[in-house]
Structures are given as C-alpha cells and as structure tokens.
Amino acid sequence: MGAMDGAGNGADGVTHLMKLSSALFYGMASFLITVVNKTVLTSYQFPSFLVLSLGQLAASIVVLFLGKRFNIVKFPDFSRDIPRRIFPLPLIYLGNMMFGLGGTQALSLPMFAALRRFSILMTMILELRILGIRPTTAVQVSVYSMVGGALLAASDDLSFNLHGYMFVMITNALTAANGVYMKKKLDTADMGKYGLMYYNSLFMFVPALIGTWACGDLDRAFEFPTWDDPFFVAQFLLSCVMGFILSYSTILCTQYNSALTTTIVGCLKNISVTYIGMFIGGDYVFSWLNSIGINISVAGSLLYAYVTFRKKTPAAASSGGDDRKLLLPSASG
C-alpha cells in the first residue's frame, strides 16, 4: 500500500476514476435489468423466472465464448482443476440469479428494493469473517441506517407475500456470499473476471436446465402465448443480454472496490427502482410508515456513497491518508 500511495496524485486519480466509473456502470446495469425483468415477469406475466435465468446463463456463455474465439477477451482454457479453483462461486451465482428473479416476480419493486438492503449487513459480516475487512464507524452508521429503514418499511407491507420474502432473503445471503467470494477468487484463483463469468455460467447451465425441466417450467414457457409479440421478445432477449452485462459489471465493481461497496451501489440504484417501481407492475400498496422507512434507508445509502467515493483532500493525503479511516478498506489492504 505504501508504494502505491507514493506513486503520486496521477495514480490516485486513475484509481479513483476506475472505482467511481465501475460503480456507476454496475448501478446502471442493475437498474435496467431490474426494470426489464419486472416488465417481463409481471407486466407480460411470463410464467417462469427459471427459464429467464437459463436465457441469461446462455447469453453469458455465448458472448464470452465468441469473445475468446475472436481474441476480444482472454481467460484460461478449461482444465480439470478449474471447478476446484472457483468453487463455490458457480452454485452461489446460479442461486443468486434464480432466487433474485423469483423475488422480482413475487413482490412489488418498492418492497423488493427495501428487503434487498438486508444483504448489506450480511456482506459486512462476511467481509469481516472471510476477508478480514473491518468497517469503520461511518460505514457502520450508514449500514445500520439502511437496515433499520428497511425493517421499518417491511413492518407495514400491505401486500405481504411469504414466498417473495423467502426468495429475497435467500438472495440477500447469496448476494453477500457472491460478492465476498468473488473478491477472494479474483485475488487468488488467477482466472480473471472473464474466466469467472464464463465458467460460472458454463458449469451451472446443465444443472439449471435439468432443474427447470423437472419443475415443468420449460413446457409452461414454450406454451406461453405471447412469443409472437415482438415487443415481448425484444424485452426477453434484452433481459438475457443484461444478465451478462450485470455479471460483468458486478465483477468489475467488486474488483476495483469492495464487496460491500458493490452491494451498497446495488442498493443505491434501488432508490430509483423504489419510486419508479410504484408505477411498474401495478402491485405496490402505499402506506406512510412504509414510505418513511424507505426514505431512512435511502439516507443511509447516500451517506455511505459520500463516505466511500469522496476524493482524498490534500491535507488527508499529506497526513498519511487520514481520510482513509472513513473508508471501507480494500480487500487487498
């Protein structure tokens, strides 16, 4: 860290730019896929979130395979030790995708966004236990504000759905595990972000296909009567491609920042999802207590964003990085 700090303001500026741009990229991708998924699953009433997740896995495999074949991207060729090197990421990756889509289908977007904030506390705990990252007081205050607001909002949910709550809480745990283990594997597995994306999708496609067939979802999807609607088909394909883009942006944000930062940027985009979601799907029921809780959670998200991405002042830099005491440390630190 000392050598990097001594490289000068230019290196610090590039590093800060990469951190900020990767976080913005992830936030935009996460926002777009949430809205498109909700439109496909709720507005069009597509019967299977499992089939949609298969489409997202297939898109990632095809795009990265062609990218490697034409030397656009690089990642290691398959070898017998690759499953061992990246385990348990493929299982976490698949579960996170499927349960996330299930929660999107079952809940209104404002409540989905509020409940997703529980993943922040889980990520913070896992970073401490697995990566040895200890959050500072400023970070903890922002996290507890977000979680407290989410609890308040959930306490007055007038459209309660047990299956939706279960799906989202499972997704929260898997999101936390995915972010932390992704950071660990990027640092130690020598696979690169493209290799992790490709092999996560490749190893899980066949098990996901078998599971979807066993549940009868393939038949329900094939019998869906709206395949002749070009607007639906366009949004279905967009959802598949956005799954790949979201996976890439998640890895990029985690690589340049931390797992907790990636999780909270995802919750920052939920600010937009929360309010826009009141008009998408038609399944949100307003209440004052719910609204107050959402806004408390939003305030905590904004506090964390300020603490994390604020540039170091010259005084902080000259004093050896006092401003860094306010920031969540990077995993490599």
Side-chain angles (χ1 to χ4, degrees):
M1 290 293 296
M4 184 176 293
D5 290 341
N9 293 333
D12 287 344
V14 171
T15 301
H16 179 79
L17 178 62
M18 291 305 299
K19 286 183 176 182
L20 183 59
S21 59
S22 64
L24 289 174
F25 177 41
Y26 167 67
M28 287 298 299
S30 185
F31 169 78
L32 288 175
I33 195 173
T34 301
V35 173
V36 171
N37 286 341
K38 185 64 176 177
T39 302
V40 170
L41 293 170
T42 301
S43 298
Y44 282 101
Q45 297 183 330
F46 185 69
S48 176
F49 63 87
L50 296 177
V51 172
L52 188 59
S53 68
L54 276 177
Q56 294 182 2
L57 288 173
S60 295
I61 294 170
V62 171
V63 170
L64 285 170
F65 176 80
L66 293 176
K68 179 177 173 64
R69 185 176 182 86
F70 292 103
N71 295 318
I72 300 173
V73 299
K74 294 181 179 180
F75 54 86
D77 293 329
F78 178 78
S79 62
R80 292 182 178 180
D81 67 333
I82 285 182
R84 175 186 57 80
R85 287 160 59 188
I86 67 173
F87 185 82
L89 269 182
L91 293 175
I92 296 172
Y93 176 79
L94 178 64
N96 192 19
M97 177 184 295
M98 287 187 169
F99 284 110
L101 288 171
T104 301
Q105 185 178 43
L107 297 175
S108 68
L109 284 182
M111 279 313 305
F112 177 79
L115 291 173
R116 287 289 284 136
R117 289 183 170 91
F118 281 93
S119 65
I120 303 164
L121 182 61
M122 297 179 186
T123 301
M124 189 171 69
I125 294 172
L126 282 177
E127 280 201 335
L128 177 63
R129 306 283 282 184
I130 296 176
L131 300 178
I133 296 175
R134 183 177 298 276
T136 61
T137 301
V139 169
Q140 292 185 52
V141 168
S142 66
V143 170
Y144 297 145
S145 297
M146 281 184 282
V147 172
L151 283 170
L152 185 63
S155 70
D156 196 29
D157 182 8
L158 301 180
S159 56
F160 178 79
N161 183 308
L162 179 60
H163 287 97
Y165 270 63
M166 291 174 59
F167 286 159
V168 173
M169 295 310 293
I170 293 172
T171 303
N172 288 338
L174 293 174
T175 296
N178 184 71
V180 172
Y181 278 103
M182 185 74 73
K183 185 71 174 179
K184 186 176 182 179
K185 297 303 180 181
L186 282 170
D187 291 340
T188 62
D190 194 29
M191 293 290 298
K193 52 184 177 288
Y194 299 114
L196 286 177
M197 287 174 59
Y198 179 74
Y199 289 113
N200 280 344
S201 301
L202 183 65
F203 294 153
M204 287 295 100
F205 183 80
V206 173
L209 179 62
I210 294 173
T212 303
W213 171 78
C215 292
D217 277 32
L218 286 178
D219 292 335
R220 284 192 287 271
F222 287 138
E223 295 169 0
F224 185 59
T226 317
W227 285 114
D228 58 351
D229 184 343
F231 293 102
F232 166 75
V233 173
Q235 291 189 70
F236 183 90
L237 294 176
L238 179 60
S239 176
C240 294
V241 175
M242 284 303 301
F244 161 75
I245 295 175
L246 178 62
S247 298
Y248 172 72
S249 66
T250 302
I251 294 175
L252 203 65
C253 185
T254 303
Q255 184 177 31
Y256 284 109
N257 295 282
S258 71
L260 184 56
T261 298
T262 302
T263 301
I264 293 189
V265 170
C267 287
L268 277 173
K269 64 87 185 177
N270 283 337
I271 298 173
S272 300
V273 169
T274 296
Y275 299 117
I276 294 176
M278 294 178 181
F279 307 98
I280 296 177
D283 51 1
Y284 173 69
V285 181
F286 174 83
S287 76
W288 281 108
L289 189 60
N290 180 277
S291 178
I292 292 171
I294 286 174
N295 283 283
I296 291 174
S297 190
V298 165
S301 298
L302 292 173
L303 172 62
Y304 182 83
Y306 169 75
V307 170
T308 303
F309 295 117
R310 181 161 58 99
K311 283 181 178 289
K312 287 193 294 184
T313 62
S318 63
S319 63
D322 291 341
D323 190 54
R324 188 175 299 148
K325 295 178 182 178
L326 294 173
L327 306 181
L328 186 74
S330 65
S332 61

